[in-house]
Amino acid sequence: MQVPIFTVDAFTNRPFCGNPAAVCLLENDLDEDLHQKIATEMNLSETAFIRKLHPTDDFTKKNPNSVLTFVTLSGELKTRQEKDHIVLDLPLYSTDPQVLQEVEELIKAATGDMIVQDVRYSPDTKKLLVRLSDAYERSVLEELQVSAQRFLSAEKTGKVKGLILTLKGKSNGKEKGHDFYSRYFAPWYGVLEDPVTGSAHAVLSSYWSEQLGKKEMLAFQCSRRGGELKISLHDNGRVEIAGQFAIVLKGNLTL
C-alpha cells in the first residue's frame, strides 16, 4: 500500500524553520496501532492523518470549503486560507497575577539570575507566563540555555503544565518589528521546547494586548527553528493567529 505523505513547516515561509508536521492522506482506514507507528517513524511532534468523508471524495480535487473545522479536545477550531497565510481561530485565554514565591524555584530553573518583570498564570491552559525585563534584547532570549527537564522537579504547585518565556519587542520604525518574542517549554507533556506554538499565543495575545494597548500584533517565537505569527484579537473573546507555511517533502509511505 502506498500512502501519500508530506512534511509541512508552519509559521514560516522557509524550509527547515517554523513548526514541522507530517501529513498523511489515507485512501483507506488504518489501524490505530499503525497510526502510532507512522508517527513514531516520522519523529515529529505532530502527524496528521486525513481521511475521506465519502468514498467518492478525491484528494486530487482542491477543497472547495472556505473554512475547515477541526473538532478538538478544546472545542471546535476553525481555519481558513488567506493568500499565503493559514489563519487559526482560537479562544483567547486571560492570565492572572501569580505569586512569585509559589513558582520561584521553577522560574530560577528557567531563567537563572535574569531579571523577571512580570509573572502570570493562565488557569484555563495551565501555562505560566514569565516576562523578562524590557532591558533585554531578543538575542538574550534566543541564546538562553534552558534545561527544561529540570522544570519537572522544580515545579512544586502541581498546576503548571507549560512555561512561556516572553520579552517585549523593539521596533526602530525603519523595518518590520515584532511586538513581542517568546519561547515555550512543556516537559510535563514530553516536549522540552516547542518550535512554534499557536496555543501559547492564545495566552500571549491576551497578555500583550493588555500591556501594549493593541489588537493587531506581530510576534516571533525564538526557538532554534523560529516562527512568525500575525495576531488579531476580536471582541468575541477569540483571537486569529496567522502564519505562512512551506512544504518541504512530498513522497509515499510503503506499508
Side-chain angles (χ1 to χ4, degrees):
M1 182 194 306
Q2 297 285 304
V3 176
I5 190 162
F6 304 81
T7 298
V8 183
D9 291 341
F11 299 112
T12 184
N13 61 356
R14 296 186 297 139
F16 316 122
C17 298
N19 201 15
V23 181
C24 294
L25 306 183
L26 301 183
E27 292 284 350
N28 303 292
D29 287 345
L30 300 179
D31 293 338
E32 181 65 25
D33 180 60
L34 195 51
H35 283 77
Q36 295 295 337
K37 287 180 178 177
I38 292 172
T40 301
E41 185 75 10
M42 297 312 297
N43 196 30
L44 298 172
S45 55
E46 293 93 14
T47 297
F49 298 90
I50 302 178
R51 294 180 295 174
K52 297 177 180 181
L53 288 176
H54 308 288
T56 56
D57 289 342
D58 188 344
F59 283 126
T60 63
K61 297 174 186 176
K62 290 190 175 180
N63 195 311
N65 299 293
S66 59
V67 176
L68 297 182
T69 302
F70 297 88
V71 180
T72 76
L73 294 177
S74 302
E76 289 191 349
L77 168 63
K78 297 183 183 296
T79 69
R80 68 180 190 278
Q81 186 167 353
E82 283 190 1
K83 297 181 180 178
D84 59 347
H85 283 68
I86 299 294
V87 183
L88 307 177
D89 181 317
L90 300 173
L92 191 65
Y93 294 112
S94 62
T95 60
D96 301 325
Q98 168 64 47
V99 177
L100 179 62
Q101 287 74 18
E102 290 182 356
V103 291
E104 193 167 14
E105 188 175 340
L106 174 59
I107 293 175
K108 190 166 184 63
T111 65
D113 296 324
M114 296 181 71
I115 301 170
V116 172
Q117 187 160 326
D118 197 7
V119 182
R120 299 289 187 99
Y121 178 70
S122 167
D124 293 315
T125 66
K126 301 187 185 303
K127 290 177 173 52
L128 184 71
L129 183 154
V130 179
R131 176 182 176 180
L132 302 177
S133 168
D134 292 350
Y136 293 124
E137 299 287 338
R138 164 180 167 174
S139 58
V140 173
L141 180 59
E142 289 177 325
E143 295 165 8
L144 181 64
Q145 299 295 312
V146 177
S147 177
Q149 197 66 37
R150 292 177 53 207
F151 296 176
L152 299 177
S153 58
E155 206 290 289
K156 306 296 187 185
T157 67
K159 67 180 186 179
V160 176
K161 300 301 179 185
L163 176 69
I164 302 168
L165 297 182
T166 189
L167 181 66
K168 184 179 178 180
K170 291 183 173 66
S171 176
N172 57 20
K174 296 180 182 178
E175 58 185 27
K176 178 179 69 174
H178 295 100
D179 292 288
F180 62 89
Y181 304 109
S182 68
R183 290 175 66 182
Y184 180 67
F185 309 90
W188 299 272
Y189 293 120
V191 180
L192 296 184
E193 180 168 9
D194 198 37
V196 193
T197 318
S199 61
H201 281 80
V203 176
L204 284 159
S205 299
S206 172
Y207 175 79
W208 282 112
S209 176
E210 177 187 291
Q211 296 294 309
L212 302 175
K214 300 175 72 173
K215 292 197 172 186
E216 304 283 332
M217 294 176 287
L218 188 64
F220 191 84
Q221 191 157 331
C222 298
S223 64
R224 181 180 57 82
R225 295 176 64 97
E228 186 175 78
L229 308 94
K230 292 174 65 176
I231 294 165
S232 299
L233 277 76
H234 297 279
D235 295 331
N236 62 353
R238 309 284 296 183
V239 59
E240 289 189 335
I241 299 175
Q244 293 175 290
F245 60 92
I247 298 175
V248 297
L249 182 147
K250 296 180 181 180
N252 290 287
L253 289 170
T254 302
L255 304 179

